[in-house]
Amino acid sequence: MTAERSQLYYTCVFLQVSFQAIKRSVADSAQEDDTPCWLDAALLRMLSGELQRCRREAAPFTEVSEALDTAIYHCGLLMAQCPAAVNRRLCQHHLEAIMSPLKLASDRLAGNAGRATASPATPGQWLRSWLGW
């Protein structure tokens, strides 16, 4: 894996883990599913900016760029409704819709396009398998 591809891979994994942590935080909230979700809009903007930067750097990798475009689209949908204009269940749906293409992008960068549709793994499991641990 080239240095550029490796950096993109780790950025995608970082973003996936970050959105996963947000989703877990939303899921662990003591509120009901139909109550408004109060995400940290500044954190979401920062991650969106990082996602867009990653997409610019992924321009040479068409299959990765397409996955990142999907993640950016869903992140934009979520940001347009945050904070508090979306319930927790829909918020979690948007977060999953962001994480899924990030995982696909990571899989493609790692050269595992065939495994991209295989059984889902957490980013930590992916990283361990990629490193051969």
Side-chain angles (χ1 to χ4, degrees):
M1 185 181 295
T2 66
E4 179 183 61
R5 195 172 182 99
S6 179
Q7 180 63 39
L8 283 170
Y9 172 81
Y10 286 115
T11 301
C12 287
V13 169
F14 163 77
L15 287 166
Q16 183 185 357
V17 169
S18 298
F19 282 108
Q20 187 176 42
I22 292 170
K23 183 180 176 205
R24 188 169 296 129
S25 175
V26 169
D28 290 347
S29 172
Q31 299 174 355
E32 298 294 321
D33 281 347
D34 61 344
T35 58
C37 175
W38 290 94
L39 285 180
D40 180 348
L43 174 62
L44 199 54
R45 273 193 306 276
M46 185 274 301
L47 290 173
S48 176
E50 186 65 18
L51 183 55
Q52 291 187 23
R53 183 191 63 76
C54 183
R55 168 54 181 93
R56 285 189 302 274
E57 292 177 3
F61 310 105
T62 306
E63 71 283 357
V64 174
S65 298
E66 292 169 356
L68 293 175
D69 284 340
T70 302
I72 288 170
Y73 171 77
H74 286 286
C75 189
L77 287 176
L78 180 59
M79 288 180 61
Q81 300 175 56
C82 275
V86 62
N87 65 35
R88 289 180 53 233
R89 181 174 293 150
L90 185 56
C91 180
Q92 290 175 325
H93 171 76
H94 281 305
L95 290 167
E96 188 62 42
I98 295 166
M99 292 182 313
S100 182
L102 283 169
K103 178 169 180 1
L104 180 59
S106 298
D107 291 345
R108 289 177 175 172
L109 285 164
N112 296 323
R115 289 181 57 188
T117 57
S119 63
T122 66
Q125 291 169 330
W126 231 140
L127 186 57
R128 283 189 294 279
S129 70
W130 187 72
L131 292 172
W133 291 354

